[in-house]
Amino acid sequence: MWIGIMMQISSVSLAATITVYVYNTEFSINPPGGPVVQAVITQGDFIKWVHVQGGHTTTSVSGSPEQWNQPIDSANPQYICQFNNVGVFWYYCIPHGADDGDGTASGMSGTITVLAAGSGACCLPNGSCVTTDQSGC
C-alpha cells in the first residue's frame, strides 16, 4: 500500500509548470524584452499564463482536444491548465487574434507543443529547444 501511494505522489511531483507571459500582443515563455518563444512541455505538465499588461484571453482554437477560454487581465492575473494530449495546440487572444478555422490561429496567438510522457524539452531564453529524456537538461 505505501509503495503505491509513494509512486503516485512521485509521479505527480514530476509534472512541471511552465509560465507563459501575456503582454502587448504576445504570448511567450520569456518576459517582455526577451525573444518570443512558444512553450514546449511534456504530457501531463501545466501551463500558467501570467498577465503582464493589457486585457487579453487565452482561448483554444475550436476542435482542439484541449479546450479552454479564460480572461488574462488585472482582475484575472493568471490561469493554469494541464495538458494531457500529445500534439501542437494553437490558441489566441479574443480581442487581438483570431481562430482561423483550420486548427490554427492568427494575430495574437501562440502554440503549446506537448511531447509524449517520458520525453521532455529544455528550452533556453534564446528560443532554442532540445528534446531530452527523463535524465534532464
Side-chain angles (χ1 to χ4, degrees), residues 103-117:
T104 66
S106 56
M108 184 177 179
S109 61
T111 60
I112 305 294
T113 300
V114 182
L115 305 174

Side-chain angles (χ1 to χ4, degrees), residues 76-103:
N76 303 282
Q78 69 178 20
Y79 171 65
I80 299 173
C81 182
Q82 185 175 33
F83 286 78
N84 295 306
N85 294 290
V86 173
V88 176
F89 302 99
W90 282 83
Y91 65 98
Y92 65 103
C93 170
I94 289 175
H96 305 110
D99 182 337
D100 292 341
D102 61 359

Side-chain angles (χ1 to χ4, degrees), residues 35-61:
V36 174
V37 177
Q38 301 304 314
V40 180
I41 62 173
T42 300
Q43 188 176 23
D45 285 350
F46 296 85
I47 292 291
K48 177 172 70 172
W49 285 272
V50 174
H51 172 259
V52 176
Q53 61 188 171
H56 304 284
T57 70
T58 175
T59 305
S60 59
V61 297

